[in-house]
mmCIF file of all heavy atoms in Angstrom:
data_model
loop_
_atom_site.group_PDB
_atom_site.id
_atom_site.type_symbol
_atom_site.label_atom_id
_atom_site.label_comp_id
_atom_site.label_asym_id
_atom_site.label_seq_id
_atom_site.Cartn_x
_atom_site.Cartn_y
_atom_site.Cartn_z
ATOM 1 N N PHE B 281 22.946 93.809 128.798
ATOM 2 C CA PHE B 281 24.035 93.824 127.829
ATOM 3 C C PHE B 281 25.361 93.460 128.482
ATOM 4 O O PHE B 281 26.107 92.641 127.962
ATOM 5 C CB PHE B 281 24.107 95.200 127.163
ATOM 6 C CG PHE B 281 22.861 95.521 126.408
ATOM 7 C CD1 PHE B 281 21.836 96.241 126.984
ATOM 8 C CD2 PHE B 281 22.696 95.048 125.112
ATOM 9 C CE1 PHE B 281 20.676 96.502 126.292
ATOM 10 C CE2 PHE B 281 21.538 95.313 124.423
ATOM 11 C CZ PHE B 281 20.522 96.036 125.017
ATOM 12 N N ALA B 282 25.609 94.079 129.649
ATOM 13 C CA ALA B 282 26.859 93.753 130.334
ATOM 14 C C ALA B 282 26.860 92.289 130.746
ATOM 15 O O ALA B 282 27.879 91.598 130.627
ATOM 16 C CB ALA B 282 27.025 94.662 131.546
ATOM 17 N N TYR B 283 25.694 91.805 131.203
ATOM 18 C CA TYR B 283 25.626 90.417 131.667
ATOM 19 C C TYR B 283 25.929 89.448 130.532
ATOM 20 O O TYR B 283 26.713 88.515 130.688
ATOM 21 C CB TYR B 283 24.231 90.138 132.234
ATOM 22 C CG TYR B 283 24.098 88.745 132.781
ATOM 23 C CD1 TYR B 283 24.692 88.399 133.994
ATOM 24 C CD2 TYR B 283 23.418 87.773 132.084
ATOM 25 C CE1 TYR B 283 24.590 87.131 134.488
ATOM 26 C CE2 TYR B 283 23.310 86.486 132.568
ATOM 27 C CZ TYR B 283 23.904 86.176 133.779
ATOM 28 O OH TYR B 283 23.813 84.906 134.262
ATOM 29 N N VAL B 284 25.271 89.692 129.383
ATOM 30 C CA VAL B 284 25.498 88.780 128.252
ATOM 31 C C VAL B 284 26.944 88.837 127.810
ATOM 32 O O VAL B 284 27.590 87.811 127.573
ATOM 33 C CB VAL B 284 24.550 89.125 127.087
ATOM 34 C CG1 VAL B 284 24.939 88.359 125.830
ATOM 35 C CG2 VAL B 284 23.125 88.801 127.446
ATOM 36 N N ARG B 285 27.479 90.046 127.725
ATOM 37 C CA ARG B 285 28.850 90.169 127.255
ATOM 38 C C ARG B 285 29.817 89.430 128.171
ATOM 39 O O ARG B 285 30.757 88.797 127.728
ATOM 40 C CB ARG B 285 29.223 91.655 127.171
ATOM 41 C CG ARG B 285 30.571 91.870 126.519
ATOM 42 C CD ARG B 285 30.977 93.325 126.573
ATOM 43 N NE ARG B 285 31.007 93.808 127.935
ATOM 44 C CZ ARG B 285 30.566 94.996 128.323
ATOM 45 N NH1 ARG B 285 30.056 95.832 127.444
ATOM 46 N NH2 ARG B 285 30.617 95.367 129.579
ATOM 47 N N ASP B 286 29.566 89.512 129.475
ATOM 48 C CA ASP B 286 30.513 88.882 130.392
ATOM 49 C C ASP B 286 30.300 87.383 130.493
ATOM 50 O O ASP B 286 31.225 86.657 130.843
ATOM 51 C CB ASP B 286 30.361 89.505 131.790
ATOM 52 C CG ASP B 286 30.745 90.970 131.767
ATOM 53 O OD1 ASP B 286 31.601 91.336 130.928
ATOM 54 O OD2 ASP B 286 30.192 91.741 132.575
ATOM 55 N N ASN B 287 29.073 86.918 130.246
ATOM 56 C CA ASN B 287 28.802 85.510 130.514
ATOM 57 C C ASN B 287 28.547 84.668 129.274
ATOM 58 O O ASN B 287 28.122 83.527 129.401
ATOM 59 C CB ASN B 287 27.582 85.390 131.426
ATOM 60 C CG ASN B 287 27.923 85.888 132.801
ATOM 61 O OD1 ASN B 287 28.857 85.403 133.415
ATOM 62 N ND2 ASN B 287 27.195 86.873 133.255
ATOM 63 N N VAL B 288 28.784 85.224 128.111
ATOM 64 C CA VAL B 288 28.418 84.486 126.907
ATOM 65 C C VAL B 288 29.201 83.172 126.792
ATOM 66 O O VAL B 288 28.709 82.189 126.264
ATOM 67 C CB VAL B 288 28.605 85.375 125.656
ATOM 68 C CG1 VAL B 288 30.069 85.595 125.379
ATOM 69 C CG2 VAL B 288 27.923 84.807 124.458
ATOM 70 N N ARG B 289 30.405 83.156 127.318
ATOM 71 C CA ARG B 289 31.156 81.903 127.260
ATOM 72 C C ARG B 289 30.506 80.799 128.068
ATOM 73 O O ARG B 289 30.476 79.652 127.648
ATOM 74 C CB ARG B 289 32.572 82.120 127.785
ATOM 75 C CG ARG B 289 33.526 82.426 126.685
ATOM 76 C CD ARG B 289 34.889 82.762 127.203
ATOM 77 N NE ARG B 289 35.529 83.619 126.246
ATOM 78 C CZ ARG B 289 36.230 83.158 125.202
ATOM 79 N NH1 ARG B 289 36.399 81.886 125.043
ATOM 80 N NH2 ARG B 289 36.757 83.995 124.345
ATOM 81 N N GLU B 290 29.989 81.165 129.241
ATOM 82 C CA GLU B 290 29.325 80.134 130.034
ATOM 83 C C GLU B 290 28.007 79.733 129.413
ATOM 84 O O GLU B 290 27.563 78.612 129.564
ATOM 85 C CB GLU B 290 29.027 80.630 131.461
ATOM 86 C CG GLU B 290 30.142 80.343 132.413
ATOM 87 C CD GLU B 290 31.088 81.496 132.437
ATOM 88 O OE1 GLU B 290 30.691 82.549 132.941
ATOM 89 O OE2 GLU B 290 32.213 81.353 131.937
ATOM 90 N N MET B 291 27.387 80.678 128.733
ATOM 91 C CA MET B 291 26.093 80.336 128.149
ATOM 92 C C MET B 291 26.254 79.441 126.933
ATOM 93 O O MET B 291 25.360 78.697 126.587
ATOM 94 C CB MET B 291 25.351 81.622 127.740
ATOM 95 C CG MET B 291 24.866 82.399 128.930
ATOM 96 S SD MET B 291 23.653 83.601 128.454
ATOM 97 C CE MET B 291 24.665 85.056 128.424
ATOM 98 N N LEU B 292 27.396 79.550 126.270
ATOM 99 C CA LEU B 292 27.551 78.775 125.036
ATOM 100 C C LEU B 292 28.643 77.704 125.110
ATOM 101 O O LEU B 292 28.639 76.766 124.342
ATOM 102 C CB LEU B 292 27.850 79.705 123.860
ATOM 103 C CG LEU B 292 26.645 80.517 123.416
ATOM 104 C CD1 LEU B 292 27.021 81.466 122.300
ATOM 105 C CD2 LEU B 292 25.550 79.597 122.916
ATOM 106 N N ARG B 293 29.561 77.859 126.049
ATOM 107 C CA ARG B 293 30.586 76.842 126.248
ATOM 108 C C ARG B 293 31.295 76.418 124.972
ATOM 109 O O ARG B 293 31.187 75.290 124.533
ATOM 110 C CB ARG B 293 29.988 75.600 126.887
ATOM 111 C CG ARG B 293 29.190 75.959 128.084
ATOM 112 C CD ARG B 293 28.658 74.778 128.843
ATOM 113 N NE ARG B 293 28.683 75.125 130.248
ATOM 114 C CZ ARG B 293 29.620 74.728 131.079
ATOM 115 N NH1 ARG B 293 30.554 73.916 130.683
ATOM 116 N NH2 ARG B 293 29.611 75.124 132.316
ATOM 117 N N PRO B 294 32.031 77.332 124.360
ATOM 118 C CA PRO B 294 32.722 76.944 123.123
ATOM 119 C C PRO B 294 33.917 76.048 123.418
ATOM 120 O O PRO B 294 34.546 76.166 124.441
ATOM 121 C CB PRO B 294 33.183 78.287 122.548
ATOM 122 C CG PRO B 294 33.320 79.169 123.735
ATOM 123 C CD PRO B 294 32.305 78.730 124.733
ATOM 124 N N ARG B 295 34.170 75.156 122.468
ATOM 125 C CA ARG B 295 35.265 74.211 122.627
ATOM 126 C C ARG B 295 35.784 73.882 121.244
ATOM 127 O O ARG B 295 35.009 73.759 120.303
ATOM 128 C CB ARG B 295 34.698 72.946 123.270
ATOM 129 C CG ARG B 295 35.685 72.210 124.117
ATOM 130 C CD ARG B 295 35.009 71.142 124.900
ATOM 131 N NE ARG B 295 34.357 70.165 124.059
ATOM 132 C CZ ARG B 295 33.515 69.271 124.545
ATOM 133 N NH1 ARG B 295 33.234 69.272 125.823
ATOM 134 N NH2 ARG B 295 32.951 68.411 123.757
#
Side-chain angles (χ1 to χ4, degrees):
Chain B
F281 298 94
Y283 182 74
V284 170
R285 187 186 57 221
D286 296 331
N287 290 304
V288 71
R289 266 175 207 273
E290 270 91 69
M291 289 196 260
L292 287 177
R293 310 185 145 260
R295 210 170 60 192

